[in-house]
């Protein structure tokens, strides 16, 4: 379930398309994928969360969700790749969001050359032809900015 409405006050979350996101790039934070996920999950305990789950951002990809394209466009504008909340921990081409939902290889946000098995964690990226925004795979141990989301 994706959270809609006002983001908690006093936190660095911003509302995009009805969903609340935290962009670590705005705080100068870079971590590997596992560290990024833990950082997001630790935000769940912050004041104003009221027990809501926070984790690395997911794309919702249903007809009522307008935040996907807006989220990826914001990542593109930063000029940096950002960790998102999916990985392929068990086998090649078996991508899962942190919530357990599958990430289809037919998702329209994958760049035409992706996933290319150059890593097992998902990034929002902007490079490519034509210019992005896109999603792609990358090495989980690389330190990148990341995006947290309130669910």
């Amino acid at each position: 379930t994706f959270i809609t409405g006002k983001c908690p006050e006093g936190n660095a979350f911003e509302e995009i398309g009805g969903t609340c996101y935290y962009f670590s790039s705005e705080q100068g934070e870079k971590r590997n994928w596992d560290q990024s996920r833990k950082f997001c999950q630790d935000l769940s305990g912050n004041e104003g969360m009221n027990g809501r789950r926070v984790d690395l951002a997911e794309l919702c990809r249903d007809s009522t969700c307008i935040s996907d394209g807006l989220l990826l466009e914001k990542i593109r504008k930063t000029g940096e790749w950002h960790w998102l909340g999916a990985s392929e921990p068990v086998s090649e081409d078996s991508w899962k969001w942190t919530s357990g939902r599958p990430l289809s290889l037919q998702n329209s946000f994958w760049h035409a050359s992706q996933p290319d098995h150059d890593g097992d964690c998902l990034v929002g990226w902007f490079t490519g032809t034509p210019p992005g925004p896109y999603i792609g795979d990358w090495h989980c141990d690389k330190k990148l900015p990341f995006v947290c989301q309130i669910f």
Side-chain angles (χ1 to χ4, degrees):
T1 305
F2 289 79
I3 224 41
T4 58
K6 191 174 180 186
C7 299
E9 293 191 25
N11 287 291
F13 283 89
E14 68 179 273
E15 185 269 331
I16 298 175
T19 302
C20 295
Y21 297 105
Y22 170 95
F23 290 86
S24 77
S25 56
E26 294 178 357
Q27 313 303 318
E29 292 269 349
K30 292 184 180 184
R31 299 170 186 246
N32 69 34
W33 193 87
D34 287 326
Q35 292 167 339
S36 298
R37 183 165 190 214
K38 182 176 181 340
F39 180 95
C40 293
Q41 291 172 328
D42 287 349
L43 292 175
S44 296
N46 284 0
E47 187 176 331
M49 292 299 171
N50 300 322
R52 295 182 288 182
R53 182 174 72 90
V54 181
D55 212 326
L56 284 170
E58 298 184 9
L59 302 181
C60 56
R61 298 306 300 157
D62 68 32
S63 60
T64 63
C65 183
I66 62 167
S67 60
D68 291 353
L70 296 172
L71 168 64
L72 290 173
E73 181 60 22
K74 171 142 182 160
I75 290 171
R76 185 190 68 76
K77 287 179 179 176
T78 70
E80 294 185 271
W81 294 7
H82 283 61
W83 289 126
L84 297 174
S87 62
E88 56 174 4
V90 179
S91 63
E92 292 292 333
D93 296 333
S94 181
W95 286 85
K96 298 252 186 246
W97 293 109
T98 57
S99 64
R101 290 184 305 122
L103 168 56
S104 171
L105 295 178
Q106 271 64 62
N107 184 297
S108 62
F109 285 113
W110 285 108
H111 183 272
S113 68
Q114 296 290 314
D116 64 2
H117 312 296
D118 199 21
D120 293 329
C121 293
L122 190 72
V123 292
W125 60 321
F126 58 92
T127 52
T129 303
Y134 301 109
I135 57 174
D137 59 352
W138 194 236
H139 303 281
C140 303
D141 62 340
K142 300 292 184 188
K143 291 192 179 208
L144 298 174
F146 53 93
V147 183
C148 303
Q149 176 180 348
I150 301 174
F151 293 90

